[in-house]
Amino acid sequence: MTISKTVAALSSSEIVLELKVLKAIVEPPVQALKARAALKDGYILQISESMGPDFRRYSYQLQKEDAMIKRWDNSPHWKDLKTFPYHVHHGNEAEPRESPEVFIEDILREVKKLLSSNP
Protein backbone atom coordinates (compact mmCIF):
# COMPACT_ATOMS: atom_id res chain seq x y z
CA MET A 1 0.00 0.00 0.00
CA THR A 2 1.21 3.49 -0.83
CA ILE A 3 -0.25 6.86 0.03
CA SER A 4 -1.23 7.34 -3.61
CA LYS A 5 -3.39 4.18 -3.34
CA THR A 6 -4.97 5.52 -0.16
CA VAL A 7 -5.77 8.85 -1.82
CA ALA A 8 -7.14 7.03 -4.89
CA ALA A 9 -9.38 4.80 -2.75
CA LEU A 10 -10.76 7.81 -0.89
CA SER A 11 -11.19 9.89 -4.06
CA SER A 12 -13.13 7.14 -5.83
CA SER A 13 -15.39 6.19 -2.92
CA GLU A 14 -19.07 7.12 -3.27
CA ILE A 15 -19.29 7.88 0.48
CA VAL A 16 -16.52 10.52 0.38
CA LEU A 17 -17.92 13.97 -0.32
CA GLU A 18 -14.68 15.92 0.06
CA LEU A 19 -11.05 14.98 0.62
CA LYS A 20 -8.43 17.34 2.02
CA VAL A 21 -4.84 16.18 1.98
CA LEU A 22 -3.25 18.05 4.86
CA LYS A 23 0.24 16.57 4.48
CA ALA A 24 1.81 14.23 1.98
CA ILE A 25 5.44 13.16 2.08
CA VAL A 26 7.00 10.91 -0.50
CA GLU A 27 10.70 10.67 0.16
CA PRO A 28 11.62 7.14 -0.85
CA PRO A 29 11.66 4.87 0.92
CA VAL A 30 9.38 6.67 3.42
CA GLN A 31 5.85 7.91 2.74
CA ALA A 32 3.41 9.72 5.03
CA LEU A 33 -0.12 11.05 4.69
CA LYS A 34 -2.42 13.11 6.85
CA ALA A 35 -5.86 13.72 5.39
CA ARG A 36 -9.44 14.51 6.34
CA ALA A 37 -12.43 13.17 4.45
CA ALA A 38 -15.95 14.56 4.77
CA LEU A 39 -18.30 11.62 4.40
CA LYS A 40 -22.03 11.24 3.82
CA ASP A 41 -24.41 11.90 6.71
CA GLY A 42 -22.02 14.31 8.45
CA TYR A 43 -19.27 11.80 9.30
CA ILE A 44 -15.60 12.78 9.19
CA LEU A 45 -12.69 10.39 8.70
CA GLN A 46 -9.24 11.48 9.88
CA ILE A 47 -6.47 9.52 8.15
CA SER A 48 -2.86 9.22 9.26
CA GLU A 49 -0.49 6.78 7.59
CA SER A 50 3.26 6.43 7.44
CA MET A 51 5.23 3.60 5.93
CA GLY A 52 8.69 2.50 4.96
CA PRO A 53 10.49 -0.69 4.01
CA ASP A 54 10.07 -2.30 7.44
CA PHE A 55 7.23 -0.41 9.13
CA ARG A 56 3.67 0.77 8.73
CA ARG A 57 1.84 3.04 11.17
CA TYR A 58 -1.78 4.04 10.79
CA SER A 59 -4.69 5.68 12.51
CA TYR A 60 -8.17 6.04 11.00
CA GLN A 61 -10.58 7.97 13.20
CA LEU A 62 -14.28 8.11 12.37
CA GLN A 63 -16.25 10.86 14.05
CA LYS A 64 -19.53 12.69 13.79
CA GLU A 65 -19.43 16.29 14.92
CA ASP A 66 -17.14 16.19 17.97
CA ALA A 67 -17.95 12.61 18.98
CA MET A 68 -15.47 9.87 18.17
CA ILE A 69 -17.26 6.80 16.78
CA LYS A 70 -14.28 4.49 16.15
CA ARG A 71 -10.54 4.69 15.78
CA TRP A 72 -8.45 1.93 14.28
CA ASP A 73 -4.71 2.13 14.89
CA ASN A 74 -1.57 0.16 15.49
CA SER A 75 0.22 2.20 18.14
CA PRO A 76 2.17 -0.41 20.11
CA HIS A 77 0.78 0.23 23.58
CA TRP A 78 -1.87 -2.48 24.20
CA LYS A 79 0.45 -5.46 24.52
CA ASP A 80 -2.14 -7.74 26.18
CA LEU A 81 -4.37 -7.84 23.09
CA LYS A 82 -4.11 -10.97 20.94
CA THR A 83 -3.97 -8.79 17.83
CA PHE A 84 -1.19 -6.54 19.19
CA PRO A 85 -0.37 -3.97 17.93
CA TYR A 86 -3.63 -3.76 15.95
CA HIS A 87 -6.69 -2.55 17.82
CA VAL A 88 -9.86 -0.45 17.59
CA HIS A 89 -11.28 2.10 20.00
CA HIS A 90 -15.08 2.39 20.22
CA GLY A 91 -16.54 5.75 21.24
CA ASN A 92 -15.55 6.66 24.78
CA GLU A 93 -14.62 3.15 25.92
CA ALA A 94 -11.43 3.22 27.98
CA GLU A 95 -10.03 -0.06 26.65
CA PRO A 96 -9.64 -0.87 22.95
CA ARG A 97 -10.82 -4.09 21.32
CA GLU A 98 -8.91 -6.55 19.21
CA SER A 99 -8.78 -5.85 15.49
CA PRO A 100 -6.95 -7.27 12.50
CA GLU A 101 -4.59 -5.04 10.58
CA VAL A 102 -6.71 -2.70 8.45
CA PHE A 103 -6.24 -0.63 5.32
CA ILE A 104 -8.30 2.26 3.97
CA GLU A 105 -10.47 -0.08 1.86
CA ASP A 106 -11.46 -1.97 5.04
CA ILE A 107 -12.40 1.28 6.75
CA LEU A 108 -14.47 2.48 3.79
CA ARG A 109 -16.36 -0.84 3.71
CA GLU A 110 -17.03 -0.60 7.45
CA VAL A 111 -18.30 2.99 7.18
CA LYS A 112 -20.46 2.07 4.18
CA LYS A 113 -22.13 -0.69 6.29
CA LEU A 114 -22.65 1.82 9.09
CA LEU A 115 -24.28 4.29 6.71
CA SER A 116 -26.58 1.65 5.21
CA SER A 117 -27.73 0.54 8.67
CA ASN A 118 -28.66 4.13 9.64
CA PRO A 119 -31.15 5.24 6.97
Side-chain angles (χ1 to χ4, degrees), residues 62-78:
L62 179 66
Q63 61 191 71
K64 189 161 187 175
E65 298 173 0
D66 290 334
M68 200 237 330
I69 308 298
K70 275 188 176 183
R71 185 179 74 245
W72 299 261
D73 70 79
N74 66 344
S75 293
H77 51 249
W78 297 98

Side-chain angles (χ1 to χ4, degrees), residues 1-107:
M1 181 61 83
T2 62
I3 65 168
S4 62
K5 288 183 180 179
T6 298
V7 170
L10 289 161
S11 297
S12 65
S13 174
E14 70 272 9
I15 65 170
V16 176
L17 302 177
E18 180 183 17
L19 175 63
K20 289 185 182 179
V21 174
L22 306 171
K23 183 184 206 179
I25 299 171
V26 180
E27 296 179 7
V30 176
Q31 297 186 28
L33 173 70
K34 288 202 182 294
R36 178 181 168 102
L39 309 178
K40 289 183 175 181
D41 294 346
Y43 287 92
I44 300 291
L45 181 62
Q46 303 279 357
I47 301 105
S48 178
E49 294 183 338
S50 59
M51 59 200 77
D54 58 353
F55 77 95
R56 176 174 181 254
R57 292 277 181 251
Y58 65 81
S59 174
Y60 305 106
Q61 180 168 304
L62 179 66
Q63 61 191 71
K64 189 161 187 175
E65 298 173 0
D66 290 334
M68 200 237 330
I69 308 298
K70 275 188 176 183
R71 185 179 74 245
W72 299 261
D73 70 79
N74 66 344
S75 293
H77 51 249
W78 297 98
K79 294 182 179 180
D80 293 337
L81 292 176
K82 289 180 186 175
T83 58
F84 174 82
Y86 312 111
H87 57 278
V88 60
H89 299 266
H90 288 260
N92 293 325
E93 291 179 3
E95 300 286 322
R97 299 180 193 178
E98 294 176 354
S99 171
E101 180 178 20
V102 294
F103 294 87
I104 193 62
E105 294 87 356
D106 303 312
I107 304 306

